[in-house]
Structure formats: structure tokens, C-alpha cells
Amino acid sequence: MRRRTFVRHGMAASLAMLGRRSMASQPSQTADAVIIGAGLAGLACAQQLIAAGRKVVVLEARQRIGGRIWSEQRQGYAIDLGASWLHGIANNPLHQLLTQELGVPIVPTNDQSQVTIGPDGDQWSSLRSEQADAWLRAFVNKAEETGRATESLVNLLPPRLTSDQRFTLIADVEHELGAELNTIAANAPLGDGQELMGSDAMVPGGLGKLVRHLSQGLDIRLGHVVTHIENQPNTITVRTASGTEINAQRLCCTVPLGVLKQGGIRFEPQLPAAKMQAINRLGMGVLNKIVLLFSERFWDNTTWIRNDGPDAGLWPEWVDLTSLIGRPGLMGFIAANQARKLELQPDRDIITSALGQLRRCYPKRVIPDPSEVLLTRWGKDPFSLGSYSYPAVGSTPAMRDELARRWGCMVFAGEAVSTSFPATIQGAYLSGIKAAKELLT
């Protein structure tokens, strides 16, 4: 089991002008190494190569750094709209980097502080929650022991699910992976990789602090959309949509799995069959967020609000941000098919949907319109096309290894190639360091 022994619950940001930022097209350039993507994997890889004396150019398609870390800065606080947590701080190297080396405070998330509100508007009792958790624990354990990667998780479900069991699967499995149950491999109901040890924590100043630290001293070219990679025996040629061409000895490609699936980058020669199989079979989940800021709080004094409403999967989880940002605020989550459908709607409809679920949970309380709203559409984002990878039916951890294996002058990096911590920022970070070691050999 990846997410601890058992887990209950789991637009542009301001540009930091750290290092060199170049927007101009500069055809026929040269470098020792090119990194595609200025997320954690790309930045970590670039720093390792720079430390080894290499001339490195980082090409980033967005007009900001960070990739799927997106810290929206406000006066005195920040809100993370992409990756929001340090998962498993006991065995997470980024925890030590942030707290000890950078002196950044963190706020552990109390997953035991929660309330679940059923379809009838009544709160679940402690016994009811414990029974649902116990059932899920037993189901997950059985799936990991008897499930096969080639079959869907739904094949292991009992013929008749109770409404509580169904909600628990949505909130604790579909939302964990950002995917529908019928697409998840039966042997990995909570994902693959190593067990995440210790609690989760959020960063009051935003994970952008980590991004800015890792970007220091790097030559990062924003707004450079790579369209073509030519992998020759002794050199790499990279071309962008704006006509820039860079020749290098080595390349690390950190574009998200969703972009690789779409085929937006042309590789010459074509990627080996084993890598294409990994790209096609690994899944790319979607988890979207909405942040609602209010003048005063109206909800329970609890970390998590779990919304077991009649509209299954519609904003089933909310986390209280008040202690993190110093003002009343909630962050809601929506995943898988519900997220993909809703992100096609205009902002006003998404906001109405989210407020409707909160008003369902608290029908006797006055819920004002929010003073500010932030929301995401990661499934539609052309430079991610999803939130994070997951073990889809027919995929195996070995496929992550295959995708990470060096191919000629290049390697892939990012959370999707991590067999230890996939779908996490530490997985991305460590994959970048590993990729740099490959390129230096």
C-alpha cells in the first residue's frame, strides 16, 4: 500500500525573477544539457548538472516556473492550487530541505479531525465512520493481496455496496488517485510505490518557496513550447514552436505523462515500443480544486468536511484553510469523471456547484457568497493534461522504470517515472536527481 498503512483522506502565479529568464527566440544555440520543464524534476536535475560544471538550459512552456506546483500569492499568505501537501514527512527529503535548510514552517494536517455529512443532512456518528473505515481497510488489504494488474478494481467489489461503502470508495480511493474505480488496477487500490511514513503537512507560504529556491542560478527560458526532439547517437537537437533550436549532448524530458500521452512532442527516432507501452498504459488522473474565501467561517471547527451528498462525487471533500492562511477559507476537491465534466463549464457554474454542496451540508446556516474564488482545470491545462499519474489497468511499476531508463542521449524524469513515490512532489524531485546521475555517466 502506497499511501501509508491506511489513509483516510487522503491564473498564472507571479514570476520569480531568480536566475536568468529569457523570453527571446535564439535559434541554433548550444548547451551541454537541455531540460524540458521547470517543475521540481527539471529544476532538481538542472541543479545537479550545474553543480557538475555543465552548461544547462531549461525550457519551460508556461509563463511561470513550478509546473504542477502553483502557489497563488496573496498579501501575507499563499494558496497552493497544484500540489498542496508534503506527503509522508517522515521519509520525505523535501521536508528536511524546507524546514531545516530553508527554515520554512509547515502545518501538519490532522486527518482525524473531520465530519461527514450524509445525504439526509445528518452527521455520521463516530461508529458509522469507524465501520466504513474498517470495511475499506479490509477491502484494500484483500485487493493488494489478491488483485491483478490486468483486472479492474471493480471486479473485486462485493455485488452490493452500501451507500457508506460507495462514498468511502469515492472519497478515499477515487480522490486519492484522481481516477474512476473501473480504470484502477485491482492490485493497487491506493496507488503504487513505497509506504508514505508520518503525517502530511502544508506550507503556509506555499510550495512556491521550494520552487524558487531550486530555480536559483539557472538559465530558464519561459514560454518555450518544445515540439520536436531529435535523439542522435552523440547529440540531441530540440526545437520549439517559436523556431528556437538548441543542440546539446544530453537531455532530460520532464513533461507530464498527460502531455506524453497526447503526443505533443515528436521524437526522432520514434520512442521504443516499451516506452510507448508505458506511456499508453499508465494512467493520468485529474483532481481539481476550488478555494472559497469568506469574511467569516460558518462551518464546523474541523479540518475536513466530507460531503456524502446525493450527487456522488460532487465536491465530496473540503479542507479548512483558516489556520494555514490566517483568514476563513475552504478548499474543495473534485476528481475523476466528475472533475473532467465540471471543468468544461464556465467559472460561475463551477462556483454555483461548489456553494450548492456547502449549502446542502449546512442548510440552517447563512452561507454568504465568497469574497474571493480560485479554481483549477488541470485536465484541460495543455501543459499537464491531468494532475498526476496512477496505476491504471494493465500497467505495472516496471513500466515506470522503463520510462525512466536512459534512451540514447536522453532520459525522462517526473513523478510518473518514480517507482518509490509516484504522484508526489518528492517522487518528482528524486527522479530529477536520478536523471542527472544518468546523464553524467
Side-chain angles (χ1 to χ4, degrees):
M1 184 183 299
R2 186 176 139 264
R3 300 278 189 187
R4 298 173 203 86
T5 303
F6 175 68
V7 176
R8 283 185 81 150
H9 317 294
M11 177 144 180
S14 58
L15 300 179
M17 299 303 293
L18 299 172
R20 181 174 156 211
R21 304 284 189 266
S22 171
M23 297 295 296
S25 176
Q26 301 174 7
S28 302
Q29 302 166 57
T30 61
D32 294 328
V34 172
I35 312 295
I36 303 176
L40 281 199
L43 297 177
C45 182
Q47 288 291 356
Q48 296 290 312
L49 295 176
I50 289 288
R54 303 301 193 268
K55 177 185 176 183
V56 178
V57 173
V58 181
L59 301 179
E60 169 56 50
R62 303 178 188 274
Q63 297 295 345
R64 63 171 177 84
I65 58 175
R68 283 170 282 170
I69 291 180
W70 172 17
S71 295
E72 186 70 15
Q73 298 293 326
R74 290 295 184 268
Q75 186 66 37
Y77 64 92
I79 297 175
D80 281 313
L81 296 174
S84 297
W85 274 274
L86 290 170
H87 289 294
I89 61 177
N91 62 339
N92 187 334
L94 294 177
H95 174 246
Q96 179 177 353
L97 175 58
L98 274 168
T99 60
Q100 297 185 25
E101 297 184 33
L102 301 181
V104 174
I106 63 170
V107 176
T109 302
N110 182 5
D111 285 340
Q112 302 305 311
S113 173
Q114 64 165 274
V115 60
T116 302
I117 302 172
D120 54 4
D122 293 336
Q123 293 186 7
W124 284 23
S125 65
S126 297
L127 176 60
R128 185 175 176 182
S129 295
E130 290 167 2
Q131 289 174 338
D133 288 346
W135 176 83
L136 183 60
R137 266 197 306 272
F139 173 72
V140 167
N141 289 337
K142 178 182 178 182
E144 291 178 338
E145 292 172 0
T146 65
R148 299 190 303 271
T150 54
E151 66 177 334
S152 166
L153 188 60
V154 296
N155 292 354
L156 303 184
L157 293 174
R160 294 182 180 179
L161 287 172
T162 69
S163 60
D164 289 1
Q165 290 168 351
R166 186 174 294 107
F167 171 74
T168 303
L169 286 168
I170 291 172
D172 295 329
V173 177
E174 287 195 351
H175 270 236
E176 183 74 10
L177 275 64
E180 304 75 38
L181 295 178
N182 65 347
T183 69
I184 299 169
N187 65 336
L190 293 181
D192 49 339
Q194 294 182 16
E195 182 178 332
L196 300 176
M197 307 294 292
S199 61
D200 297 337
M202 302 180 88
V203 179
L207 288 166
K209 289 186 175 182
L210 177 62
V211 172
R212 292 190 291 274
H213 170 72
L214 291 175
S215 71
Q216 290 180 350
L218 299 180
D219 179 357
I220 302 177
R221 319 278 178 88
L222 300 176
H224 281 62
V225 181
V226 173
T227 59
H228 188 110
I229 296 174
E230 188 175 340
N231 190 0
Q232 303 170 27
N234 298 308
T235 187
I236 285 277
T237 300
V238 179
R239 299 185 182 91
T240 71
S242 62
T244 297
E245 180 176 295
I246 302 179
N247 296 305
Q249 296 175 343
R250 298 288 185 267
L251 179 139
C252 178
C253 181
T254 74
V255 300
L257 177 65
V259 177
L260 293 176
K261 283 179 170 292
Q262 186 198 44
I265 298 178
R266 177 185 175 187
F267 292 90
E268 287 190 22
Q270 293 183 350
L271 289 174
K275 290 191 184 297
M276 287 304 304
Q277 181 186 62
I279 290 169
N280 292 331
R281 291 195 179 181
L282 288 167
M284 189 65 171
V286 175
L287 179 69
N288 278 327
K289 304 176 181 182
I290 188 168
V291 175
L292 304 176
L293 303 181
F294 298 93
S295 58
E296 60 183 21
R297 61 182 299 150
F298 57 82
W299 53 92
D300 294 287
N301 185 22
T302 183
T303 301
W304 288 96
I305 302 167
R306 287 160 63 90
N307 169 35
D308 176 20
D311 298 314
L314 192 60
W315 306 108
E317 289 195 301
W318 295 81
V319 66
D320 186 359
L321 298 177
T322 307
S323 62
L324 185 77
I325 64 176
R327 60 173 297 181
L330 290 170
M331 178 182 285
F333 302 86
I334 189 167
N337 275 341
Q338 285 277 30
R340 293 185 186 276
K341 289 189 295 184
L342 196 60
E343 69 180 7
L344 299 176
Q345 303 303 313
D347 287 3
R348 64 178 180 276
D349 290 352
I350 298 175
I351 296 168
T352 298
S353 168
L355 285 172
Q357 292 306 305
L358 289 174
R359 288 170 176 147
R360 187 206 73 80
C361 290
Y362 298 105
K364 297 180 180 180
R365 304 183 189 180
V366 177
I367 300 180
D369 288 336
S371 58
E372 188 172 0
V373 178
L374 301 168
L375 54 83
T376 70
R377 291 181 173 89
W378 287 108
K380 287 185 63 181
D381 187 315
F383 304 127
S384 63
L385 296 175
S387 301
Y388 42 73
S389 64
Y390 73 92
V393 175
S395 69
T396 66
M399 292 178 181
R400 298 186 187 275
D401 277 333
E402 175 56 44
L403 192 54
R405 185 170 292 113
R406 181 168 168 171
W407 176 52
C409 296
M410 69 167 288
V411 292
F412 287 95
E415 56 82 13
V417 311
S418 172
T419 54
S420 298
F421 302 107
T424 67
I425 59 174
Q426 66 262 42
Y429 174 75
L430 292 172
S431 78
I433 294 175
K434 181 180 179 182
K437 292 179 180 177
E438 286 285 331
L439 295 179
L440 288 170
T441 59

